[in-house]
Amino acid sequence: MTTDKPAISLRRRAVQAAMGETPFDRLLKNARLIDMVTGEIREVDIGLSGSMIASVHPCGDDFEATITQDLAGAYLSPGLIDTHVHVESSHLPAHRYAQIVVAQGTTTIYWDPHELANVLGVEGVRYAVESSRGLPLRVICAAPSSVPSTPGLETSGADFRGKEMQTMLAWPDVAGVAEMMDMHGVITGSERMLEILDAGLSSGKLIEGHARGLKGKELQAYLAAGVGSDHELTSAEDALEKLRAGLNLQIRGSHPYLLPDIVNALKTLPHLSSQITLCTDDVPPDFLLERGGMIALVNTLIDCGLPAEDVLRMATFNAALRLQRADLGLIAAGRSADFFTFDSLEKICPEKVFVGGQCIAESGRMLIEETEPATTIQPPRDTMHLSPVSESDFAIRIPNVNNGKATLRHIKGARFTQWSETTVDVRAGVVQLPAEFSLIWVLHRHGKYPAKPQLALLEGWGELRGAIATSYSHDAHNLVVLGRDPAEMALAANHLITCGGGMALSQNGKLLANVDMPIAGMLSDLPAEQLAVQFKNLRDLSAKIADWEPPYRVFKAIEGTCLACNAGPHLTDLGLTDGGTRQIIDPLTDAWEVL
């Protein structure tokens, strides 16, 4: 990580350079500085000493420098800061992720590695921390609190309580507690959540929120517990209530359909609060390369009508305030020399990116070689602790009924799921899948107990023409398969079991597409460009299996079908769950023989 504090000797040298007593290492002349404090755009020269900004002064002041560079009137912004991201969503190791986002102007991220943690426990977080050291990207890690996100309703590869949190929060690389997804446990005061909150509050570090759907007294109670931020915005009204409540509002790029309404709502306020920051949350590899991460969100918000200066302030100065980093987010003497140049306020396209006082990217391309992780860091593999499955594992069986009928509770909808019921035919003890329904199937993959397949009917996804399988499934990351035909579902599942995890599509008895992710069942060994091509191909071909209907029934929804912490029904490795009542529900309500 690029988080080393400047030595006192460097600060002394910077002081001397600012006084004109010794040359700057680098002098950047004729920049148009976006001042994040005053909102002004000022013409300045900037003197750098090592990794620090030593002076920001009027153009033409007489200073000496080892290297002088004329920026010729280019705009200058602090490096972008992503206040909440799961790097695992890119399916890239940290060193490859860094090469992409730094060239796009992002110089700091706050990484919640809870996907790795849900597979590998504390060792997954340790891998995240160690693999992000020495990169051109400043990586600040959070200690995942949601392992699993909904205890009692799912089983992941570990179980974090107070002891685990204390261990991680003691690491200097960890700046706080990651998103508190067990909202119910926070509000009702479950023993586990009280332990985690106590560890976070005692550490004096940040506590991140996940307040999806909370409002009124529940939202107030959630804040009273010590939570300070939220990125789970569901509407403009939701965003305003959370901002008024005092939460740091993290506008995220992973749900762009909400952004126009949120921007319009923010524009009705007397001023734009310093409590508004930006984050990406989850960005797949092809989108990261083609559209960008933070930079795509910045430009989307500008397109929605926010002034570029305000958006950049959210993504820099406000973010640094949130992360309690007085060395970041502002181009001012004494701060880290992380910034980028660009030519237009209508669309921000980073031209030159400086990190630690060095220009390391230009015109969207890195100028330095990819940083390979230390040979002592071994990527975690072999995490699919499963034997091959058979077609018979994909049948819903009704006890004590051979040929008859059964009434089953099932999942209706995508993202915002609802309970529903339907009556089905039973033949030879097996449910006959009705028209317009598909199956969802989950199998525990972490080896914590003898795995037993769980199945449920899925309405609102249409009749899937094949199967979609993934081992990257929020948040327990068990093996999940959607489909109608048991043979197709078994084919896709067995490919992932054999290759170590990832995503696979099957149709007509053949594997249609696959993206192998042998590192923890969620990260790829491939270079970013190759992975992006494979991932995009799989997403495109998934339309042969499913009829996507944005904004909710989309390819991305596959990863969230088992997110049991959210309201409504979700299938997990333990069965059909209710996120509101925190119960595991028997799907069978009635069954009878038909003569």
Side-chain angles (χ1 to χ4, degrees), residues 167-442:
T167 295
M168 294 180 290
L169 288 166
W171 300 345
D173 309 80
V174 170
V177 178
E179 58 179 313
M180 304 284 284
M181 298 183 72
D182 186 2
M183 299 171 285
H184 183 268
V186 170
I187 292 170
T188 60
S190 73
E191 181 181 350
R192 176 176 177 266
M193 281 295 101
L194 288 176
E195 288 181 14
I196 290 172
L197 281 165
D198 184 52
L201 294 168
S202 298
S203 74
K205 296 184 176 184
L206 301 171
I207 299 180
E208 251 197 327
H210 175 110
R212 181 169 171 179
L214 296 185
K215 57 185 178 180
K217 62 183 181 181
E218 286 82 11
L219 180 62
Q220 296 295 319
Y222 191 68
L223 268 78
V227 175
S229 67
D230 184 54
H231 60 278
E232 287 288 331
L233 310 181
T234 59
S235 67
E237 294 76 17
D238 180 55
L240 288 182
E241 181 176 3
K242 288 171 177 174
L243 191 59
R244 288 165 178 151
L247 280 171
N248 183 279
L249 197 72
Q250 298 165 312
I251 300 175
R252 63 177 173 178
S254 54
H255 294 79
Y257 58 90
L258 293 172
L259 297 182
D261 287 345
I262 290 176
V263 166
N264 287 335
L266 293 178
K267 289 167 70 175
T268 67
L269 299 175
H271 80 108
L272 289 174
S273 169
S274 61
Q275 285 281 89
I276 305 171
T277 61
L278 308 184
C279 72
T280 59
D281 198 9
D282 299 290
V283 186
D286 56 329
F287 287 2
L288 195 64
L289 278 169
E290 294 171 8
R291 307 177 187 179
M294 280 287 288
I295 195 64
L297 175 56
V298 164
N299 282 316
T300 298
L301 291 172
I302 293 171
D303 289 342
C304 288
L306 282 179
E309 299 93 320
D310 291 335
V311 178
L312 288 170
R313 186 183 307 112
M314 296 171 186
T316 58
F317 187 60
N318 291 3
L321 291 175
R322 167 60 192 163
L323 296 180
Q324 300 175 1
R325 291 295 299 256
D327 57 329
L328 304 177
L330 193 63
I331 298 176
R335 304 257 177 167
S336 294
D338 299 348
F339 44 75
F340 65 91
T341 69
F342 60 100
D343 294 331
S344 171
L345 291 171
E346 294 181 2
K347 182 176 183 181
I348 311 297
C349 296
E351 179 59 27
K352 293 180 173 64
V353 181
F354 291 79
V355 173
Q358 300 296 316
C359 183
I360 64 169
E362 193 165 348
S363 301
R365 307 289 296 183
M366 293 294 284
L367 301 177
I368 60 174
E369 294 295 322
E370 183 175 283
T371 305
E372 291 290 339
T375 55
T376 55
I377 301 172
Q378 295 298 317
R381 303 177 187 275
D382 302 320
T383 61
M384 298 291 290
H385 302 292
L386 293 170
S387 300
V389 296
S390 65
E391 293 181 29
S392 62
D393 291 316
F394 294 86
I396 299 178
R397 303 184 188 281
I398 304 299
N400 305 317
V401 174
N402 187 37
N403 293 295
K405 300 275 188 181
T407 300
L408 298 175
R409 299 183 181 94
H410 66 266
I411 302 166
K412 182 177 182 179
R415 190 164 187 245
F416 298 103
T417 59
Q418 298 176 324
W419 285 101
S420 192
E421 287 189 3
T422 192
T423 298
V424 298
D425 293 327
V426 179
R427 298 288 179 266
V430 174
V431 168
Q432 305 301 294
L433 198 58
E436 299 303 317
F437 279 77
S438 291
L439 284 174
I440 181 171
W441 178 95
V442 180

